[in-house]
Amino acid sequence: MRVLAAMSGGVDSAVAAARAVAAGHDVTGVHLALARNPQTYRTGARGCCTLEDSRDARRAADVIGIPFYVWDMADRFHEDVVDDFVAEYAAGRTPNPCLRCNEKIKFAAVLDRAVALGFDAVVTGHHARLGPDGLLRRSVDVAKDQSYVLAVLTREQLDRSIFPLGDSTKAQVRAEAAERGLAVADKPDSHDICFIADGDTRGFLAGRLGEAPGDVVDASTGAVVGSHTGAYAYTVGQRRGLHLDRPAPDGRPRYVLSITPKTNTVTVGPAEALEVSEVRAERPVWTGGPRPDAPVECEVQLRAHGDVVPATVALDGATLHAELRRPVRGVAAGQAVVAYRPDPAGDVVLGSATITG
């Protein structure tokens, strides 16, 4: 099979490409140039898709012995990921840019181009499993599992995807990279958001949305208890950095309960007010079998590294509704709800949707 290996410059994608070669595939490596101005993106050990990463990917391809190319996806990345990130915060939601990058770039733009060029599938270094049954499952390395950010993929995209690392732990991947002579064997994992060079999300958003002063309001009393320079700088469940003018009457900490862009208001209150037992979401993608006509008993995950909660999930047209078996705090619009079916061979991804409330 002729496959395209997406090589980010890290250890995971390098080993994934090497395993694809070992499996007998005809492999070509490609690195995605995503930055219009590479100097504005993270560099060094915490980099992702930078010039340094491009060089690391090329060296890995040389060691593996496969052709290597760089594809310029900067404009598409800026429009579909960076602009979306800013727009979502402006609308009072909390987006996951890695999830959007998988959906719009790595498994849409890249896969479409790969198929047009005659490739059969795309290989990536994601820690997830995709077995002969075509079902997406969690990685054996639960701490590194990335099935959550892959749950947005359609059935057609999964059918043209290969995830060679799902049956290995990260420690095993690094050991294999060293055995293969790959210089990235000890390269640290990338962290934070690649297009925010200094890690200051609030400053990044302020530079694009400008200052927009508004009130911080107590949910129980309706009193103005503080001010802000931009509601986009807050997310549901946030406790630190609120800079309130007066403490709660009972002296307990306050948390962000909601953001209302229309009135430019941030509402705060006690931790228990964050608890939700129902979640609604839009744009569902269902890949774990036929789209269900009746409610499904399953488990749901509401953040990339969040707890798993038993739930009943139902689909109604373009809406997914999840009734949680126990309340969860800090559920933020813009994140994904991912439904899993527990399975001894690895929890199966049933589907996902974007949380609206």
Side-chain angles (χ1 to χ4, degrees):
M1 187 160 58
R2 188 168 179 239
V3 302
L4 187 77
M7 302 183 71
S8 67
V11 62
D12 291 326
S13 60
V15 172
R19 288 187 178 183
V21 171
H25 299 305
D26 178 5
V27 182
T28 296
V30 64
H31 178 79
L32 307 182
L34 302 180
R36 286 176 173 172
N37 179 5
Q39 284 70 35
T40 65
Y41 281 35
R42 285 195 177 278
T43 59
R46 302 180 74 186
C48 177
C49 309
T50 65
L51 291 175
E52 295 170 49
D53 293 304
S54 177
R55 290 192 286 267
D56 287 342
R58 185 180 296 277
R59 284 192 288 267
D62 288 343
V63 171
I64 297 167
I66 59 175
F68 178 82
Y69 300 92
V70 175
W71 285 0
D72 185 352
M73 292 275 182
D75 287 342
R76 180 73 180 265
F77 180 79
H78 194 89
E79 294 167 4
D80 289 344
V81 180
V82 181
D83 287 350
D84 174 81
F85 180 83
V86 175
E88 285 291 281
Y89 267 104
R93 296 185 285 269
T94 305
N96 184 319
C98 294
L99 188 150
R100 194 67 61 234
C101 184
N102 283 333
E103 177 187 15
K104 298 292 188 179
I105 305 299
K106 295 177 181 176
F107 295 93
V110 172
L111 183 56
D112 288 348
R113 182 184 292 188
V115 171
L117 291 173
F119 290 95
D120 300 301
V122 169
V123 175
T124 75
H126 286 95
H127 282 262
R129 286 179 284 178
L130 193 59
D133 57 7
L135 298 177
L136 181 64
R137 287 181 167 85
R138 289 193 188 275
S139 167
V140 298
D141 190 337
V142 177
K144 293 295 182 180
D145 174 60
Q146 293 175 296
S147 61
Y148 176 90
V149 295
L150 294 172
V152 292
L153 303 187
T154 65
R155 180 70 269 157
E156 292 75 18
Q157 290 169 331
L158 287 172
D159 287 342
R160 288 186 177 272
S161 301
I162 301 174
F163 307 128
L165 305 187
D167 289 321
S168 302
T169 65
K170 187 60 178 266
Q172 290 171 331
V173 171
R174 289 195 181 280
E176 181 176 334
E179 291 173 1
R180 292 181 179 274
L182 297 170
V184 292
D186 295 320
K187 185 175 180 178
D189 293 340
S190 59
H191 297 284
D192 301 321
I193 300 170
C194 68
F195 53 84
I196 302 180
D198 58 3
D200 180 8
T201 300
R202 180 179 297 202
F204 175 85
L205 292 170
R208 283 149 183 81
L209 297 173
E211 290 195 356
D215 294 330
V216 178
V217 176
D218 184 274
S220 58
T221 65
V224 175
V225 295
S227 62
H228 63 78
T229 57
Y232 51 75
Y234 299 84
T235 186
V236 170
Q238 180 178 335
R239 176 186 174 185
R240 299 183 183 278
L242 302 185
H243 305 298
L244 304 180
D245 296 333
R246 66 181 79 169
D250 59 7
R252 298 169 64 195
R254 292 189 183 102
Y255 299 78
V256 174
L257 304 182
S258 64
I259 300 110
T260 310
K262 187 174 182 179
T263 59
N264 197 26
T265 301
V266 175
T267 301
V268 297
E272 58 267 23
L274 285 168
E275 294 183 346
V276 298
S277 297
E278 296 183 3
V279 174
R280 295 184 66 82
E282 62 184 6
R283 303 193 304 276
V285 176
W286 199 265
T287 57
R291 183 184 171 101
D293 296 324
V296 176
E297 297 298 321
C298 60
E299 294 179 341
V300 297
Q301 186 172 331
L302 304 170
R303 283 185 180 271
H305 303 290
D307 293 336
V308 176
V309 183
T312 302
V313 168
L315 294 179
D316 180 12
T319 301
L320 181 150
H321 182 262
E323 294 185 7
L324 310 182
R325 289 287 177 266
R326 59 177 174 81
V328 175
R329 294 180 178 179
V331 177
Q335 295 285 299
V337 50
V338 177
Y340 290 87
R341 184 183 73 232
D343 189 286
D347 293 352
V348 173
V349 172
L350 298 176
S352 72
T354 301
I355 297 171
T356 56

